[in-house]
Amino acid sequence: MLKIDTVTKSYDTGAQHHRVLQGVSLHLAAGEALALTGESGSGKSTLLHLAAALDGFDSGEITLNGAAYSGLDDRGRAQLRRETLALVFQQFSLVPSLTVGDNILFHARLAGRPDPAWAAEVTRRLGLSDLTGRWPEALSGGQQQRVAIARAIAARPQLLLADEPTGNLDEDTATRVLDLMLELVRETGTALWLVTHSEAVAQRVGRRVHLSGGVLA
Amino acid sequence: MIARLWIVLLVLLAPPAFAQGFAGLGTTAEGFALPDPDTTFDFPQDHLPHEGFRIEWWYLTATLSGADGLDYGLQWTLFRTALGQGADQGWRSPHVWLGHAGMTTPDRHFAAEKIARGGIGQAGVTSGPFDAWIDDWRMLSTDNSLNALRLTAGEGDWGYDVALQAQGPLIAHGAEGYSVKSPTGQASHYYSQPFYTVSGRLNLPEGPVEVTGQAWLDREWSSQPLAEDQSGWDWFSLSFDSGDKLMAFRLRDGGAGFRSGTWITALGEAQPLGDDQIVTTPLAHAQVAGREVPVHWRLEVPSRGVSVEVRALNPQSWMGLSIAYWEGPVQVTGSHTGRGYLEMTGYE
Amino acid sequence: MTRVAWGALISHWRRQPLQLVTLILGLALATALWSAVQAINAEARASYARASEQLATGTQAIIDRPGGGIALATYAQMRRDGWNVAPVLQGRIVLEGRQVTIVGIDVLTHPAAAVTGETPDLTESFLAEGRLFARPDLIARLSGVPDLPPLQANAAVPPGELWTDISVAERLLGQTGQLSHLLVLDPIDAGDLAPGLRLRVEEGNDTVQLTRSFHLNLTAFGFLAFGVGLFIVHGAIGLAFEQRRALFRTLRALGVPLRRLMLVLSIELLGLAVVAGALGLVLGHLVAAALLPDVAATLRGLYGAEVDGALALRPAWVLAGLAMALGGAVVAGTGALAKLRRLPILAGATVVVWAENAGLGSRRQAMAGVALAVLGVIALALFDGLVAGFALLAGLLLGAALCLPLCLSLMLRLGHSAASGPVAQWVWADARAQLPGLSLALMALMLALATNVGVSTMVSSFRLTFTGWLDQRLAAELYVTARDDAQGAEIEAWLAPRVQAVLPIRSAGDRLNGQPATIFGIIEHQTYRDHWPLLQADPAVWARIEAGEGVLINEQLAYRQDLWLGDQVTLAGQSMPVVGVYSDYGNPNPQAIIGMDTLLQLYGDVPNYRFGLRVPPAQVDAVRAELAERFDLPPGGLRANTEVKQVSKAVFENTFVVTGALNALTLGVAGFAILTSLLTLWTSRLPQIAPVWSLGLTRRTIALVELGRSLMLAAFTALIAVPVGLGLAWVLLNVINVEAFGWRLPMFLFPRDWALLTGLALIAAALAAGWPAWRVARVPPAMLLKVFANDR
């Protein structure tokens, strides 16, 4: 479903030219779960952002369901993010001006497939039912993270990309949330790709790849 | 008002280019008529203005006794100054008139001033009868002579209204009225009527006082009465109880000064006094308007056996007007007794 | 330590230069508008002061002889009789195609002679060729005129006048031995005057009193502008403090004492205020210089008060402007400093929370707003006069401004609940979230809009009424002013068979309830019955006037003295009932109308040389041409009503040029407030935008949404501003005008103007939001992505 083919990406930080990704190739099938590990600053998040069509790359190609990213304009990428993908960031990914309940429903509605019943279930299973009337700012980091996960799953994406989704959670909760994610992914047939630095998490996901020095191992 | 006049008069009487002598009296006489020793007086014509000369005055002082037993003095003066020559009438007249009025009690002194343009009728001196005025201050005769006058002046809550009657003849000073003012020849035409008796009323702020006494009128005109280096004068007009009278002045300069005077007998005979016949010695000074002014003098005329002390009735007789000077009644003691007026100018 | 603190604080400005510019520019604009108004007022007042100083110190009484001059001999005799009066010979001549007034004085008696020159050299003043004193601008215009005495510039001379000695004036005016009038320097009793002379009080000298209301109007505008500016400054300073919160915490954690920190911040604030104040003064001076000619024209047209067109730099004005800038900064900064005082070292708060907290206060703010408006009403109920009127205005406007955030929030909540799509829902929600950060700017916009609506409604209502009134009042087709009564009689006789009616315009001066007033007499004619603009009238008003049984008074007198139908007015010692009140715009003084017979009976043979002519329209030109040819009329002695109307309307329009300009500037400042608020909110916008973008909205869409939201807020603000503005207009027409000018005007509504203004507000908002929106459209994804990674 997702195919990354010898993608390179570099950043210019002032005078320095920093090559983050140097020819990364990867394939992810529908319904498959994949963990991406790597050192801090190895380019894990960048690779995930590229896959999420959030940023452009220098060379190579990424295709999702056969559509090449390089052929998409801003609108095409936005449509992809809206309708096909879902994202969970490390933090601060909620819309501050919407309540928790509205946030959870937001992506599904943007994608044009709101399913309040499903959203309610996801909310319940993530233990957020009591928080739906609150504002994101009023939540702890862990609660915010779970809202972000609920929002992503409630949108029933074909591909769920998650960047350290359990980074803000204590170990118990992290385990619980991860289990839940995997369960939900299985139930909905969604492909899951998560970035983590946790060995335990990576092991639970099953398939894993390691990014080091800008190339996958 | 005073401040404005001050500015006006500074310019009026002493433009920067001419600022010489007291009140600009030492300015050059260029273009104006000059006193002529050959001139003889022609009365009543000479009571009237001499417009060819630059400056001229009608100057009357009186020593008075009040019904209340106190001594008083009054002054009435009308000056004429020509800023230029020409006989233009109306607003283009070159003459400016200045009136000063003073009234002195033992402990108070009143002074006021008026200024007016010539040519428009606001001030002037005319005949038929003799009439000298500035605004509502007036010296009015019953005829063209100066024998019987009525004198009024005042400002605000003070003033006077007195009648004068001449008891003797007019007196010419110097050489038949040609009065020399310096060794270099500055001179003026100068005559007096020192024989007036006075009766009338002073209006004091607290009420009127009937007064009687004596008065002395000076008439003088010139175009440059002071020499350039003369800075002021001390001028005495004394009436002794004997009936004799003495006019004496000292013009001050950088050196010994210049003295002159006239001895007038009770019968009206005048005898000029020269520079070497008069001795003036200041005895005591008073602090007046921020300056030291001699208000107690010794005056000697050895040739006439005169050695008197002259004391101000009120040492604070300061005429703080646009031209400021000391002018007030004095008391005379010593070889002769009597009363008189003292005028002192140029004390800075 | 202090140096380190300084460095850290100042580095903030280096990284946020835009915020620095905003802060300085906001305060500068506020100071500029305020000081521009002050400069105009000061210049006008100085002109009046100069005029009154010149004409008579401490007294405005003059003696003149109606219908002629005073002989020089009469003057001299009066002086000899002890009158303290000063002579003036005054007349007009045409020099270089411009009428100038020659004022001849006697430098020795005129109380203001010392004013004409530092060295009044008499020899030069009235001997030789003399001297002419005039303002520099007039001198510049006259420099080419041959045969004039030497001109000497003097700023103390009233505009349009040449001051000189009487001797020179006599020569220039070609008359001798005559004076125009005498200034009374010491109080006198009019009964002592010689027959033929009259004592009167110079009416034109009362300019200070008459123009007071005009200047109060301007001052009120200045305050409004400054208030609007303060909103900007308050916002900018508040944000500058909030954004440096983390820095303050760090500095305090590193051991900088709170007092030291506050001191350093205060100094920084004052420094900024001084810079901004100076900039504001420069701007203000430019604005004032641009507006002053119009103000001068207004004052001349409305009150006959001469104001010079040149602007002088006054130290008092500079100090006042700087003080206002510093005061504004202190007012705006005190709150921020107080917050800093309460700031715990460790607590963290983001910009959004700050905004949310501010939002919580909106209810309390609205309550304060309502209280203010109520206080304004109470002020009007308790106190009389213009100041109470302005208190009501201030209460109303400020109150409305304070209520604005709550109103907007309610409107947005309503919109939010009605929104269906997710994007729409987000837009509404986001607008609500953004409201606290924008509310100050929106308040400024609301004030500007409401003032615009109010003032334009007032002006348009006035214009409509005024135009209608002119048509009524100027019913005669031609107006003739003869040179004197003799020529008047000649003209009247000649006209009688040629026109439908000759309506004499005769008047006498009197005092009505202590104020100088003009009393007109009218003959019996249908013209008055058909056209005279009566506000209140006895059913038999005209019959009673003609029968000498009553008096018509103008609205000004009616309001000022509370005289209405049936009340008694005393004219020349005779009491008469008011039988009608008529409107009389553009005239600040009391006026009354009685029957012609009564006028002549009460005031004797008043001059009769002005006439209104009723002529069939087709013959107007012919009669006019014949009149002009047959009689030697003075310049301007023959006027068609169309011309008079034209001039009147021009004066009217001129009156409100300044108001219009200030309005436009205020709106501009409000627009700037929105721009700066949006720009300062910029950094806090990214966390709002990034999640939505990551969820699949393009930056273009988001930018459009940003723009749309600002427009929406502006539109809502305008929606609220219109009723507030109408309230303002009502107060202006029914309270302020009555107090300031003495007339009450009907209010008309001009929905097209509101639409236009709303459009302007939207354009201003669009312009202000355009740049931030453009920045959103162009923001690099990497910058948005940082939001998800960075610890803020």
Side-chain angles (χ1 to χ4, degrees):
Chain A
M1 187 181 83
L2 175 73
K3 199 174 154 206
I4 298 174
D5 188 10
T6 54
V7 163
T8 63
K9 172 75 177 173
S10 51
Y11 287 116
D12 282 321
T13 52
Q16 283 204 321
H17 191 67
H18 184 58
R19 290 181 66 112
V20 187
L21 301 175
Q22 312 192 29
V24 174
S25 298
L26 184 83
H27 187 266
L28 187 66
E32 194 182 359
L34 170 69
L36 173 64
T37 57
E39 308 289 314
S40 210
S42 60
K44 301 188 297 285
S45 293
T46 302
L47 182 55
L48 201 72
H49 291 158
L50 293 187
L54 286 170
D55 208 352
F57 41 86
D58 303 340
S59 66
E61 185 60 280
I62 302 175
T63 53
L64 184 63
N65 290 339
Y69 282 16
S70 60
L72 294 176
D73 59 4
D74 212 31
R75 280 168 67 169
R77 289 154 184 260
Q79 191 183 5
L80 202 65
R81 291 199 299 273
R82 200 162 62 233
E83 296 174 358
T84 314
L85 298 169
L87 294 144
V88 178
F89 293 97
Q90 285 172 16
Q91 54 186 340
F92 303 123
S93 63
L94 300 181
V95 180
S97 51
L98 296 179
T99 59
V100 167
D102 284 341
N103 256 292
I104 293 173
L105 268 170
F106 192 54
H107 195 171
R109 298 178 68 192
L110 274 180
R113 43 174 184 264
D115 185 345
W118 171 236
E121 187 185 339
V122 173
T123 307
R124 186 181 52 75
R125 285 169 70 177
L126 278 163
L128 297 168
S129 298
D130 294 341
L131 302 178
T132 52
R134 309 266 290 265
W135 299 98
E137 292 274 351
L139 303 185
S140 71
Q143 288 169 329
Q144 287 192 26
Q145 195 67 348
R146 281 186 280 147
V147 174
I149 293 165
R151 182 179 66 190
I153 294 170
R156 293 184 186 277
Q158 294 180 39
L159 172 60
L160 174 55
L161 299 163
D163 192 354
E164 303 274 10
T166 56
N168 276 323
L169 307 178
D170 60 73
E171 210 170 318
D172 270 6
T173 317
T175 311
R176 213 148 42 78
V177 166
L178 184 63
D179 284 346
L180 191 61
M181 277 178 83
L182 291 169
E183 201 179 315
L184 290 169
V185 163
R186 266 196 301 279
E187 285 172 27
T188 53
T190 298
L192 172 68
W193 181 7
L194 60 83
V195 168
T196 184
H197 64 273
S198 157
E199 193 59 26
V201 170
Q203 277 181 0
R204 287 186 60 83
V205 170
R207 183 184 166 202
R208 60 185 289 188
V209 286
H210 186 77
L211 187 63
S212 174
V215 291
L216 282 179
Chain B
M1 196 73 186
I2 294 294
R4 176 178 68 80
L5 274 174
W6 187 213
I7 296 168
V8 169
L9 282 157
L10 269 181
V11 178
L12 174 71
L13 296 174
F18 304 112
Q20 268 131 23
F22 175 74
L25 294 179
T27 49
T28 53
E30 209 168 311
F32 289 99
L34 287 172
D36 177 0
D38 297 334
T39 304
T40 51
F41 289 128
D42 171 19
F43 299 117
Q45 191 57 40
D46 275 327
H47 299 325
L48 301 177
H50 301 79
E51 291 189 345
F53 291 83
R54 207 168 67 83
I55 69 156
E56 178 163 21
W57 55 65
W58 293 256
Y59 210 130
L60 189 132
T61 54
T63 52
L64 303 166
S65 302
D68 57 4
L70 295 176
D71 284 346
Y72 296 96
L74 68 77
Q75 177 203 345
W76 190 103
T77 312
L78 185 63
F79 302 93
R80 178 189 60 79
T81 301
L83 299 178
Q85 291 156 75
D88 280 330
Q89 281 304 298
W91 293 103
R92 294 196 43 80
S93 160
H95 300 285
V96 170
W97 295 80
L98 185 66
H100 280 186
M103 194 169 88
T104 312
T105 78
D107 55 1
R108 274 176 297 171
H109 182 81
F110 304 92
E113 175 169 66
K114 287 193 178 282
I115 183 163
R117 299 273 282 272
I120 59 165
Q122 190 186 345
V125 177
T126 55
S127 61
F130 172 87
D131 190 2
W133 78 95
I134 181 163
D135 288 345
D136 54 341
W137 296 358
R138 195 168 194 189
M139 179 189 280
L140 176 65
S141 174
T142 51
D143 55 22
N144 281 335
S145 79
L146 298 178
N147 292 336
L149 300 176
R150 180 158 173 209
L151 194 69
T152 52
E155 185 181 73
D157 56 1
W158 69 271
Y160 51 77
D161 183 349
V162 296
L164 301 93
Q165 189 67 47
Q167 309 294 341
L170 297 170
I171 301 297
H173 297 286
E176 291 184 59
Y178 182 80
S179 167
V180 175
K181 296 291 195 272
S182 82
T184 51
Q186 272 75 21
S188 67
H189 292 296
Y190 184 8
Y191 69 86
S192 298
Q193 170 47 275
F195 291 109
Y196 285 118
T197 54
V198 183
S199 70
R201 191 166 62 191
L202 305 186
N203 290 310
L204 293 163
E206 59 273 20
V209 181
E210 298 299 325
V211 291
T212 55
Q214 292 174 294
W216 180 312
L217 171 72
D218 274 337
R219 280 279 293 123
E220 194 160 3
W221 60 94
S222 178
S223 291
Q224 189 201 13
L226 294 192
E228 285 184 12
D229 62 345
Q230 289 174 336
S231 60
W233 64 80
D234 308 302
W235 179 92
F236 300 82
S237 60
L238 308 179
S239 294
F240 301 122
D241 293 337
S242 61
D244 297 330
K245 296 173 192 295
L246 173 64
M247 187 282 290
F249 60 83
R250 179 187 70 146
L251 291 162
R252 301 191 303 277
D253 54 29
F258 180 82
R259 276 160 290 264
S260 178
T262 306
W263 179 262
I264 304 164
T265 67
L267 296 174
E269 292 156 342
Q271 183 64 48
L273 301 170
D275 189 35
D276 51 355
Q277 289 178 275
I278 299 167
V279 183
T280 56
T281 317
L283 298 179
H285 290 73
Q287 187 75 22
V288 183
R291 65 205 85 196
E292 292 278 306
V293 179
V295 292
H296 184 187
W297 291 81
R298 174 178 304 287
L299 178 62
E300 291 158 290
V301 184
S303 60
R304 292 285 169 183
V306 173
S307 174
V308 294
E309 285 190 25
V310 175
R311 270 192 198 82
L313 171 68
N314 178 351
Q316 301 297 324
S317 300
W318 184 253
M319 300 292 283
L321 304 173
S322 55
I323 299 166
Y325 53 96
W326 196 101
E327 172 108 35
V330 291
Q331 252 132 10
V332 183
T333 55
S335 65
H336 295 63
T337 58
R339 293 196 287 187
Y341 245 79
L342 169 60
E343 173 176 279
M344 297 181 286
T345 67
Y347 286 94
E348 297 300 333
Chain C
M1 179 176 70
T2 308
R3 270 236 319 258
V4 176
W6 268 121
L9 287 170
I10 285 173
S11 73
H12 172 80
W13 298 122
R14 212 172 296 138
R15 278 191 299 118
Q16 305 279 352
L18 197 64
Q19 230 177 63
L20 182 64
V21 170
T22 305
L23 187 61
I24 291 181
L25 220 53
L27 195 50
L29 280 177
T31 312
L33 278 186
W34 161 256
S35 54
V37 168
Q38 288 310 303
I40 290 172
N41 278 348
E43 196 57 49
R45 289 211 189 92
S47 286
Y48 310 148
R50 275 197 295 271
S52 57
E53 206 171 51
Q54 295 290 32
L55 289 170
T57 4
T59 171
Q60 292 141 9
I62 67 165
I63 293 170
D64 65 0
R65 180 193 299 280
I70 295 174
L72 188 52
T74 308
Y75 162 68
Q77 190 55 51
M78 286 175 76
R79 291 290 306 200
R80 294 195 66 173
D81 291 343
W83 297 70
N84 193 7
V85 290
V88 177
L89 174 62
Q90 193 168 326
R92 289 176 85 83
I93 58 171
V94 175
L95 289 175
E96 285 290 281
R98 184 192 149 114
Q99 285 234 331
V100 293
T101 302
I102 305 285
V103 179
I105 61 161
D106 171 16
V107 291
L108 296 186
T109 50
H110 196 280
V115 181
T116 51
E118 299 78 30
T119 54
D121 189 324
L122 291 196
T123 318
E124 284 184 344
S125 309
F126 60 85
L127 298 178
E129 71 241 274
R131 283 279 181 281
L132 293 177
F133 294 91
R135 300 181 69 76
D137 59 326
L138 182 55
I139 287 191
R141 224 168 299 135
L142 297 179
S143 57
V145 183
D147 301 327
L148 274 189
L151 293 158
Q152 201 154 323
N154 192 303
V157 176
E161 297 187 358
L162 283 167
W163 282 55
T164 187
D165 187 72
I166 295 191
S167 60
V168 181
E170 282 189 333
R171 204 161 72 228
L172 290 173
L173 296 171
Q175 47 179 293
T176 49
Q178 289 283 312
L179 301 168
S180 346
H181 60 264
L182 307 176
L183 301 181
V184 178
L185 305 180
D186 288 336
I188 59 165
D189 187 342
D192 299 340
L193 278 173
L197 296 186
R198 106 183 132 167
L199 173 70
R200 67 189 180 92
V201 174
E202 277 271 77
E203 286 174 27
N205 249 354
D206 211 14
T207 41
V208 174
Q209 184 59 30
L210 287 178
T211 52
R212 207 176 60 114
S213 49
F214 182 82
H215 292 296
L216 197 55
N217 266 324
L218 278 186
T219 307
F221 261 105
F223 266 118
L224 178 73
F226 191 81
V228 168
L230 268 189
F231 280 107
I232 309 177
V233 177
H234 193 278
I237 289 181
L239 209 80
F241 273 65
E242 288 302 330
Q243 294 206 327
R244 288 189 290 179
R245 260 188 161 182
L247 179 61
F248 298 159
R249 280 204 307 272
T250 309
L251 284 173
R252 293 210 41 210
L254 290 175
V256 178
L258 180 63
R259 292 175 68 93
R260 182 76 57 93
L261 187 59
M262 288 180 69
L263 181 73
V264 166
L265 281 171
S266 303
I267 292 171
E268 175 196 79
L269 197 60
L270 290 181
L272 288 174
V274 168
V275 171
L279 190 63
L281 284 176
V282 173
L283 287 174
H285 197 78
L286 292 176
V287 171
L291 290 181
L292 193 62
D294 284 320
V295 176
T298 301
L299 289 167
R300 197 177 306 124
L302 203 56
Y303 303 103
E306 279 283 349
V307 172
D308 200 8
L311 193 65
L313 197 63
R314 295 164 204 286
W317 173 77
V318 170
L319 286 178
L322 275 182
M324 205 69 183
L326 283 173
V330 167
V331 166
T334 307
L337 280 172
K339 249 191 234 167
L340 172 65
R341 218 186 148 75
R342 292 194 301 268
L343 175 72
I345 297 184
L346 289 176
T350 63
V351 173
V352 179
V353 168
W354 166 66
E356 291 286 335
N357 285 340
L360 290 179
S362 71
R363 205 169 291 271
R364 223 173 309 156
Q365 236 177 40
M367 269 152 65
V370 170
L372 264 179
V374 169
L375 276 179
V377 174
I378 291 175
L380 189 71
L382 290 185
F383 306 103
D384 256 359
L386 207 50
V387 176
F390 278 111
L392 173 64
L393 274 192
L396 203 70
L397 279 177
L398 261 177
L402 288 175
C403 290
L404 182 74
L406 185 66
C407 291
L408 285 178
S409 163
L410 291 176
M411 286 167 106
L412 290 174
R413 189 177 295 176
L414 213 66
H416 190 180
S417 61
S420 52
V423 176
Q425 199 186 24
W426 169 64
V427 168
W428 288 100
D430 200 43
R432 280 177 69 192
Q434 209 184 0
L435 188 57
L438 276 177
S439 63
L440 284 170
L442 291 173
M443 283 184 198
L445 179 66
M446 207 277 295
L447 283 180
L449 280 177
T451 315
N452 267 286
V453 169
V455 171
S456 76
T457 301
M458 189 264 282
V459 172
S460 300
S461 294
F462 196 177
R463 184 183 293 117
L464 216 59
T465 313
F466 184 70
T467 313
W469 170 82
L470 272 182
D471 287 341
Q472 290 182 315
R473 183 82 179 250
L474 297 173
E477 283 76 13
L478 274 175
Y479 290 87
V480 183
T481 305
R483 286 194 181 277
D484 48 34
D485 282 11
Q487 195 190 35
E490 217 178 304
I491 292 174
E492 195 175 8
W494 182 83
L495 278 171
R498 290 174 171 81
V499 298
Q500 289 169 340
V502 178
L503 308 173
I505 303 170
R506 303 177 72 172
S507 65
D510 197 352
R511 294 184 86 80
L512 286 178
N513 294 66
Q515 285 177 299
T518 312
I519 319 296
F520 284 92
I522 55 166
I523 59 168
E524 181 179 346
H525 197 268
Q526 192 62 30
T527 302
Y528 300 110
R529 295 169 188 259
D530 290 346
H531 295 285
W532 204 257
L534 292 175
L535 298 171
Q536 207 190 17
D538 185 277
V541 50
W542 296 110
R544 292 186 65 182
I545 289 289
E546 286 149 12
E549 290 169 6
V551 55
L552 283 172
I553 60 171
N554 68 351
E555 192 184 0
Q556 288 84 313
L557 180 62
Y559 274 114
R560 256 178 229 156
Q561 305 294 336
D562 200 19
L563 292 171
W564 301 97
L565 219 54
D567 292 336
Q568 294 287 321
V569 171
T570 305
L571 294 176
Q574 191 172 323
S575 183
M576 287 173 130
V578 173
V579 295
V581 177
Y582 59 96
S583 49
D584 183 25
Y585 306 118
N587 164 31
N589 295 315
Q591 210 180 74
I593 294 177
I594 51 181
M596 186 66 79
D597 294 342
T598 321
L599 180 82
L600 298 180
Q601 182 196 321
L602 291 178
Y603 295 97
D605 197 16
V606 299
N608 186 22
Y609 61 98
R610 292 165 63 203
F611 308 96
L613 310 182
R614 294 310 308 270
V615 188
Q619 293 168 30
V620 170
D621 288 342
V623 171
R624 184 182 180 148
E626 246 187 302
L627 263 174
E629 195 186 326
R630 196 170 178 91
F631 296 98
D632 173 30
L633 292 169
L638 196 51
R639 286 237 163 106
N641 62 353
T642 46
E643 293 164 37
V644 183
K645 281 178 199 170
Q646 212 175 341
V647 170
S648 305
K649 283 177 189 166
V651 168
F652 179 91
E653 293 305 333
N654 231 326
T655 307
F656 296 102
V657 164
V658 178
T659 321
L662 284 176
N663 256 335
L665 286 174
T666 314
L667 194 61
V669 170
F672 184 77
I674 297 180
L675 170 67
T676 56
S677 301
L678 289 174
L679 287 177
T680 47
L681 282 176
W682 165 251
T683 42
S684 69
R685 285 305 294 158
L686 286 181
Q688 315 264 343
I689 293 165
V692 189
W693 167 74
S694 76
L695 294 175
L697 289 188
T698 59
R699 284 167 293 167
R700 222 177 87 88
T701 309
I702 295 173
L704 285 175
V705 164
E706 294 279 305
L707 193 63
R709 189 184 36 237
S710 293
L711 287 178
M712 180 174 76
L713 286 172
F716 283 172
T717 305
L719 209 60
I720 295 169
V722 168
V724 172
L726 292 182
L728 174 69
W730 186 89
V731 175
L732 283 173
L733 291 170
N734 289 283
V735 181
I736 303 292
N737 265 306
V738 175
E739 295 293 346
F741 305 106
W743 54 67
R744 186 189 294 267
L745 297 164
M747 180 159 150
F748 297 96
L749 300 182
F750 301 89
R752 266 182 51 188
D753 285 4
W754 312 340
L756 192 72
L757 265 173
T758 308
L760 273 178
L762 292 182
I763 290 171
L767 286 176
W771 187 23
W774 183 83
R775 283 179 77 181
V776 167
R778 292 300 158 106
V779 64
M783 201 162 169
L784 288 166
L785 285 171
K786 269 190 205 158
V787 169
F788 305 118
N790 273 6
D791 180 20
R792 299 194 306 274

